[in-house]
Amino acid sequence: FERAVDGVLTLVDSIASPDSLVNPWSLGVSPDGMHVYAVGTTSDSIICIERDGANAHSVVSELFNGQEDGLGNTIVDMDGPRSVRVSPDGRFVVATGGERRLRVIPTDGSPSRPLGSFDQRPWVVAIGPNGRRVAACGTGGTRVWDLATGETTEFDLGCLGRTFIFDSSGRLLVGDEALHALGPASDEYTSLIDGVGSRFALGPKETMVLSNSGSHDGAVLHDLERGVSTPLAGHGAGIAGFDPSGEMVVTWADNVVFAGPTSGGTPHRLIADTDVLAAAVSPDGRFNPSGHEDGAIRLWPVPDITRPTLHDMPLDELMAVLRTHLSVVVDPGDPEVAPLRFGPFPGWETMPTW
């Protein structure tokens, strides 16, 4: 359970994905927060989760598997896509595939098309701020495409499983014990700040960076304007990102997603029963999706970070909240349901043994 802004406890929306989604490794969310796209390391397609309005129900569909690619060829499968990103306008997604190329996939169901070809599988993908440029990086180097002109630019820089994003000026950012920027007017990386790990997220105003770090077992917040780095206590080393306001950061570790204020303090813990492999933040600020070891995608309601976390509440206050928001419903037509009696536990009539 997690408490929403209005104080109501809400059960997390847990979605069992199709059997083809194994080890969900990367998540992308549409700008309106209504669609979540997931890919897995040993999956054969891209999974699309469509939110059913404001309700907790969701529709899961297996998309972009067996479609024509726009060249008259049929995509048999994606063969283990590793990274997926959604364009700023939500009109297409880009994913890496085992076919050693990128695939641009319109979200309206139109045929997809491949981009380029790598000697080795491209590991990460990024989409430019206006959706016109797409970049991919792998062990064989970096390649940038202009979708309008078809022009391709190559850089002799490889990356394996690192975060790889565009900023608003069109520079490519990559983390490797420091935050490096590439282009758009230069073909060499310049260092922006030290201590940024391979996984990071850029804040909405692009003055803050959230990252993991080899010297700190958790998350670190970097202020690019002041050049100051601050460890965030209680957070995990898995990096999901910032909320749209920049006032909340989301991380993960083991089977827990953490959501807490950028200014520091105890984060809320969103606890699942299986380990987290990927997490993200919805651009509309309404939920935080996470992908888990059991193949499920969970959509967590965003907690009110201005209020105390449930696990930090005094016992009496916690029990009062739980009593207010928990209820029991019995199906009177089910003959196998025993009658329920409410009241203090009177004790065992006969002490059971196990």
Side-chain angles (χ1 to χ4, degrees):
F1 292 86
E2 184 54 54
R3 185 171 53 191
V5 175
D6 59 4
V8 176
L9 288 178
T10 306
L11 182 64
V12 64
D13 186 10
S14 179
I15 303 168
S17 299
D19 293 339
S20 61
L21 183 61
V22 181
N23 294 333
W25 198 255
S26 179
L27 302 174
V29 187
S30 62
D32 61 2
M34 295 305 295
H35 297 84
V36 178
Y37 300 92
V39 296
T41 56
T42 54
S43 300
D44 293 332
S45 62
I46 301 176
I47 303 303
C48 175
I49 299 167
E50 181 177 359
R51 297 281 291 176
D52 182 13
N55 299 322
H57 304 291
S58 299
V59 179
V60 181
S61 53
E62 187 175 5
L63 300 181
F64 319 127
N65 191 5
Q67 290 185 326
E68 288 191 356
D69 62 5
L71 302 177
N73 302 314
T74 299
I75 309 168
V76 177
D77 57 56
M78 289 292 293
D79 191 18
R82 296 279 178 154
S83 179
V84 62
R85 293 292 180 266
V86 186
S87 66
D89 59 7
R91 295 175 59 187
F92 65 90
V93 300
V94 178
T96 61
E99 54 187 345
R100 298 184 181 179
R101 64 180 66 192
L102 269 66
R103 193 161 288 278
V104 179
I105 306 163
T107 55
D108 63 1
S110 302
S112 64
R113 65 186 176 106
L115 281 181
S117 180
F118 283 75
D119 294 335
Q120 300 291 331
R121 177 202 303 263
W123 285 81
V124 288
V125 62
I127 301 177
N130 58 9
R132 175 168 173 165
R133 300 167 71 211
V134 171
C137 188
T139 56
T142 298
R143 194 170 298 172
V144 181
W145 289 267
D146 186 314
L147 297 182
T149 66
E151 180 183 356
T152 303
T153 306
E154 297 186 26
F155 303 99
D156 186 19
L157 178 84
C159 57
L160 181 63
R162 300 172 185 161
T163 304
F164 184 68
I165 62 174
F166 283 97
D167 68 4
S168 60
S169 70
R171 297 183 303 177
L172 277 169
L173 304 181
V174 64
D176 183 15
E177 300 304 325
L179 182 64
H180 304 286
L182 173 65
S186 171
D187 60 357
E188 294 184 358
Y189 273 100
T190 57
S191 180
L192 300 181
I193 190 170
D194 291 334
V196 176
S198 60
R199 305 282 181 168
F200 70 92
L202 190 62
K205 297 181 181 179
E206 301 190 351
T207 60
M208 306 294 287
V209 170
L210 177 70
S211 83
N212 62 356
S213 173
S215 60
H216 177 73
D217 186 19
V220 181
L221 190 67
H222 308 272
D223 188 321
L224 298 181
E225 292 183 329
R226 298 190 300 146
V228 176
S229 300
T230 306
L232 292 178
H235 275 274
I239 304 301
F242 294 81
D243 78 330
S245 71
E247 297 179 357
M248 182 180 71
V249 293
V250 180
T251 64
W252 52 270
D254 299 323
N255 63 325
V256 183
V257 175
F258 302 92
T262 307
S263 57
T266 304
H268 289 250
R269 302 174 187 174
L270 312 176
I271 303 174
D273 54 359
T274 57
D275 282 354
V276 182
L277 301 180
V281 180
S282 175
D284 68 352
R286 293 173 55 197
F287 66 95
N288 302 320
S290 59
H292 293 258
E293 202 172 43
D294 59 358
I297 304 298
R298 292 175 170 84
L299 307 182
W300 305 89
V302 174
D304 181 357
I305 60 174
T306 66
R307 301 182 64 174
T309 60
L310 291 179
H311 59 274
D312 278 342
M313 282 184 178
L315 178 60
D316 290 345
E317 185 178 350
L318 173 62
M319 295 306 298
V321 172
L322 294 178
R323 291 190 186 100
T324 302
H325 296 95
L326 293 183
S327 62
V328 177
V329 179
V330 179
D331 181 3
D334 189 343
E336 297 183 1
V337 174
L340 294 179
R341 291 179 297 170
F342 295 90
F345 178 58
W348 296 104
E349 182 177 345
T350 302
M351 182 61 68
T353 57
W354 288 277

